[in-house]
Amino acid sequence: MASEMDSLRDMQVDSLLKMLYLNEEHYPKANSVTEDPNATTAAIANDDAIQDIIWKVLVLDKRTTAIVSSVLRVNDLLKTGVTVHALIDSSKRSSLPDVPVVYFIEPTKTNIDLIVDDLKHDKYSEFYINFVDSLSRDLLEHLAQEVVQLGKQDKVKQVYDQYLDFVVTEPELFSLELPTAYSILNNPQSDEETITSLCSTIADGLFNTIITLNSIPIIRAQKNGPAEIVAEKLSSKLRDYVINLKSNSSENSNSILNDSLDRFVLIILDRNIDYSCMFSHSWIYQCMVFDIFKLRRNTITIPGENETSPEKQYDIEPHDFFWLQNAHLPFPEAAENVESALNEYKNEANEIVKKTGVTSLNDLNIKQFDQNENEDDLGTLQIQQAVKKLPELTAKKGIIDMHMNIFASLLKELEAKNLDTFFEIEQQDPDNVKTRTKFIELLEKDGKTDNLEDKLRSFIVLYLSAKNTPPQDFVKQVENYFKGQEYDITPLKYVYKLREMMKMSSSMSLQTKSLDDGKQDSNKMTTSTLSGLYGLTEGTLQGGVGTLISGFKKLLPEKKTIPVTNIVDAIMDPLNSSQKNLEATDTYLYLDPKITRGSHTRKPKRQTYNKSVVFIVGGGNYLEYQNLQEWAHSQIHNPKKVMYGSTDILSPHQFLEQVASLST
């Protein structure tokens, strides 16, 4: 069983490693020290733990490729004995009749038929079959019948349901990758069967996550929407699972049933809990990267400077020390830290150069090869230690250079679109007439046309976050501006409906609170620009960021909770939450899947939880994830652990597209 300190990502990696070690009970565990700044690769395997590694082939499909590639790299697979990995439907998949194969695939008839075909042609020596989700009885019988007919049952060594059908991209963030869930669930054209089927799929994904966590939660869910449907379906599924486990006396079943002393709470919410955060401009490093560029499955894609320029891709390793330490920080702080990291690297490199007497690190590489030939002359203890540290230092420099380049690209976009002005306007009081006046002036003075979507998003944020419906003359002024630019404002038709829906929910009355112990005034948004940073290129960035930082220190965001965090605060820590937030959450559904007799829906009770999974039906974002993590880490006297997931992690542009589709 995973330790309490393990992240969701660690737990998923552990499950994958166990599968790759052929489901043996004893296998090298995931490296739990994921925040070690000196860790440069996902060194997840202990070389001494397994003396005789079984070399094998790994066969995946598109879905499982997404799951594995988000948390493991090729080197990690190699340490488990995987020398070849391929897609199950690839025509280029070679036959290796002397090598065992591990399948990790979706439980579909097509995949089963492909496995049967591999058996028929003796493509591999032994077959270890793992399904990402539970295999239906019909398909299991189909597989058994085909294997028996071929007479190859001796080759099939294992058939496992792994319950890993969710994608983890951050230590405590997961996605079911159902990108159109919001539009399907909110489209009047969607029939009951379509909605029910989608809610069942969502419940299945959550079930997979819970099984990986190895603990049965208390379920709290928003009522009168998809969240309630998902909660009911999931509770029923978990209840059946508990009943089956009670008849099983295995060690695993005992561990999942005997967790009553510290059960976690699963909080299921509908996207209508907060719409404005889906359109907001954030000043958090990770959120900016996701908003401005494309961040998917830990790969950042930056478009080329023009149509003929190739796009750039940067891979965020699970042990990227800079990302782990700075992804959650405001952009100015992260910019300072990237220069500090570069200076630290230079100091380490200079120290090695001094100790070894070489003129550069490149010379040290040469000595590494010469050392074996003439160790008495060149092989001092210091040189040996330096040589051992060199790969780590080189990898560290690569990470720093990558983030330097990402910062350079971000700065170019900030300059091109004046993105700081949109963040600034969204931080101000939307009910204040001065804020609305300032926004109109921004529209009139800003002559740029490549940031029209950003302008529309800022208007939507002001419109949805205001306590009182904005004046009609203000709305008309904004609409006329976009019409003058010939920009499609169809999404606004649905946005106006969203505000009406928000009135019917409790989200607008949720009380926010500071996360900075009364010191938030020093962090409040003040008027400033990034003029000191504009014109910065990729080359000059590496020359030093510190001299330019002063131009935007004042743009640090106010530290406060947002609606989703307020809900979590009320449910996890009711003794310290506001009365309004408590009253809002007291109406939520309360389900205990462990109660297998009598009424399963109970009257909600206020109790303290130390661990939770927060799941948003209809799309989530990195802003909510980071706000929840900030809140959890601020609970110094009563530490909290919060995992965040959604049907999909959607960028503002993606969510705006779904809103537009519902406006027609």
Side-chain angles (χ1 to χ4, degrees), residues 179-180 182-183 278-279 290-291 294-296 453 457 620 648-661:
T180 59
Y182 182 82
S183 57
M278 296 298 290
F279 302 100
F290 184 67
D291 182 358
K294 181 181 178 183
L295 171 59
R296 190 154 184 87
E453 183 176 293
R457 283 169 50 192
D648 199 22
I649 306 301
L650 299 173
S651 68
H653 176 74
Q654 290 173 314
F655 193 70
L656 194 61
E657 285 184 327
Q658 293 202 47
V659 166
S661 70

Side-chain angles (χ1 to χ4, degrees), residues 266-439:
L266 169 62
I267 304 170
I268 306 177
L269 304 170
D270 289 321
R271 184 62 271 165
N272 67 8
I273 196 69
D274 181 17
Y275 288 114
S276 60
C277 75
M278 296 298 290
F279 302 100
S280 297
H281 291 83
S282 176
W283 214 236
I284 301 298
Y285 180 36
Q286 182 184 60
C287 300
M288 288 180 69
V289 170
F290 184 67
D291 182 358
I292 298 173
F293 304 129
K294 181 181 178 183
L295 171 59
R296 190 154 184 87
R297 298 172 188 164
N298 289 327
T299 297
I300 299 172
T301 303
I302 299 177
E305 295 182 3
N306 51 58
E307 293 181 359
T308 58
S309 301
E311 63 183 19
K312 300 176 183 177
Q313 287 195 335
Y314 299 104
D315 196 23
I316 301 294
E317 295 283 346
H319 290 253
D320 181 328
F321 76 94
F322 187 84
W323 187 253
L324 286 166
Q325 295 174 352
N326 293 274
H328 66 286
L329 294 179
F331 181 68
E333 291 185 34
E336 285 184 322
N337 291 343
V338 77
E339 185 186 36
S340 297
L342 179 60
N343 290 334
E344 183 181 331
Y345 160 79
K346 289 179 179 178
N347 291 335
E348 290 184 65
N350 289 335
E351 189 68 22
I352 289 178
V353 169
K354 286 180 182 179
K355 286 183 177 180
T356 56
V358 297
T359 56
S360 71
L361 292 185
N362 289 333
D363 293 335
L364 190 60
N365 275 325
I366 295 173
K367 283 193 174 186
Q368 182 179 4
F369 291 107
D370 291 342
Q371 184 176 338
N372 292 330
E373 297 179 6
N374 199 353
E375 188 169 342
D376 291 336
D377 295 333
L378 300 174
T380 67
L381 179 62
Q382 287 182 331
I383 291 179
Q384 293 175 19
Q385 291 175 340
V387 168
K388 289 180 180 179
K389 193 174 182 181
L390 192 59
E392 175 189 306
L393 201 58
T394 302
K396 186 175 183 179
K397 179 60 162 57
I399 290 173
I400 294 171
D401 285 345
M402 179 183 73
H403 286 283
M404 284 283 192
N405 294 335
I406 294 170
F407 271 104
S409 299
L410 282 174
L411 289 166
K412 289 178 183 178
E413 288 297 309
L414 290 172
E415 179 184 18
K417 298 181 179 180
N418 287 345
L419 295 180
D420 58 312
T421 59
F422 303 117
F423 169 74
E424 179 182 358
I425 203 79
E426 291 166 21
Q427 293 290 295
Q428 298 176 7
D429 183 4
D431 289 289
N432 192 318
V433 65
K434 291 182 180 179
T435 304
R436 295 193 291 267
T437 301
K438 187 174 181 179
F439 181 68

Side-chain angles (χ1 to χ4, degrees), residues 35-53:
E35 298 188 15
D36 180 1
N38 296 318
T40 55
T41 61
I44 55 173
N46 180 346
D47 294 335
D48 297 328
I50 298 294
Q51 297 296 329
D52 299 318
I53 292 179

Side-chain angles (χ1 to χ4, degrees), residues 105-392:
I105 52 176
E106 289 189 277
T108 65
K109 185 177 184 300
T110 299
N111 281 343
I112 288 174
D113 288 343
L114 288 170
I115 292 174
V116 171
D117 189 66
D118 290 347
L119 275 166
K120 181 179 180 181
H121 293 92
D122 292 319
K123 210 160 196 173
Y124 308 105
S125 63
E126 297 177 342
F127 287 63
Y128 297 84
I129 305 171
N130 299 270
F131 295 103
V132 69
D133 203 345
S134 59
L135 181 68
S136 68
R137 185 174 182 84
D138 289 346
L139 288 179
L140 178 60
E141 291 177 351
H142 171 66
L143 173 61
Q145 183 178 7
E146 292 293 324
V147 171
V148 170
Q149 285 183 354
L150 289 173
K152 299 292 179 70
Q153 52 266 42
D154 59 317
K155 283 202 166 192
V156 179
K157 302 300 181 181
Q158 294 175 352
V159 178
Y160 273 83
D161 294 335
Q162 292 292 348
Y163 299 108
L164 289 169
D165 196 7
F166 57 97
V167 175
V168 178
T169 53
E170 289 289 311
E172 307 292 3
L173 182 144
F174 69 99
S175 167
L176 303 186
E177 294 203 341
L178 301 170
T180 59
Y182 182 82
S183 57
I184 292 174
L185 293 171
N186 292 276
N187 191 336
Q189 304 299 320
S190 297
D191 55 34
E192 183 178 350
E193 183 180 352
T194 300
I195 292 175
T196 301
S197 175
L198 178 56
C199 287
S200 295
T201 301
I202 296 169
D204 289 344
L206 276 171
F207 180 80
N208 278 259
T209 308
I210 289 168
I211 297 304
T212 300
L213 292 173
N214 201 35
S215 178
I216 304 297
I218 297 291
I219 301 174
R220 300 297 305 276
Q222 207 175 343
K223 287 186 177 180
N224 304 317
E228 182 175 1
I229 301 173
V230 171
E232 293 281 8
K233 288 182 175 295
L234 176 62
S235 180
S236 176
K237 197 174 177 69
L238 284 171
R239 195 171 299 114
D240 291 341
Y241 180 74
V242 169
I243 292 172
N244 290 333
L245 279 185
K246 284 182 176 179
S247 62
N248 187 331
S249 59
S250 70
E251 180 181 346
N252 182 64
S253 64
N254 287 333
S255 66
I256 199 170
L257 289 173
N258 297 332
D259 59 0
S260 57
L261 293 178
D262 189 22
R263 294 176 68 185
F264 74 92
V265 59
L266 169 62
I267 304 170
I268 306 177
L269 304 170
D270 289 321
R271 184 62 271 165
N272 67 8
I273 196 69
D274 181 17
Y275 288 114
S276 60
C277 75
M278 296 298 290
F279 302 100
S280 297
H281 291 83
S282 176
W283 214 236
I284 301 298
Y285 180 36
Q286 182 184 60
C287 300
M288 288 180 69
V289 170
F290 184 67
D291 182 358
I292 298 173
F293 304 129
K294 181 181 178 183
L295 171 59
R296 190 154 184 87
R297 298 172 188 164
N298 289 327
T299 297
I300 299 172
T301 303
I302 299 177
E305 295 182 3
N306 51 58
E307 293 181 359
T308 58
S309 301
E311 63 183 19
K312 300 176 183 177
Q313 287 195 335
Y314 299 104
D315 196 23
I316 301 294
E317 295 283 346
H319 290 253
D320 181 328
F321 76 94
F322 187 84
W323 187 253
L324 286 166
Q325 295 174 352
N326 293 274
H328 66 286
L329 294 179
F331 181 68
E333 291 185 34
E336 285 184 322
N337 291 343
V338 77
E339 185 186 36
S340 297
L342 179 60
N343 290 334
E344 183 181 331
Y345 160 79
K346 289 179 179 178
N347 291 335
E348 290 184 65
N350 289 335
E351 189 68 22
I352 289 178
V353 169
K354 286 180 182 179
K355 286 183 177 180
T356 56
V358 297
T359 56
S360 71
L361 292 185
N362 289 333
D363 293 335
L364 190 60
N365 275 325
I366 295 173
K367 283 193 174 186
Q368 182 179 4
F369 291 107
D370 291 342
Q371 184 176 338
N372 292 330
E373 297 179 6
N374 199 353
E375 188 169 342
D376 291 336
D377 295 333
L378 300 174
T380 67
L381 179 62
Q382 287 182 331
I383 291 179
Q384 293 175 19
Q385 291 175 340
V387 168
K388 289 180 180 179
K389 193 174 182 181
L390 192 59
E392 175 189 306

Side-chain angles (χ1 to χ4, degrees), residues 16 31 102 105 111 220 275 348 440 569 644:
L16 290 171
N31 180 5
V102 174
I105 52 176
N111 281 343
R220 300 297 305 276
Y275 288 114
E348 290 184 65
I440 294 296
D569 177 73
Y644 175 84

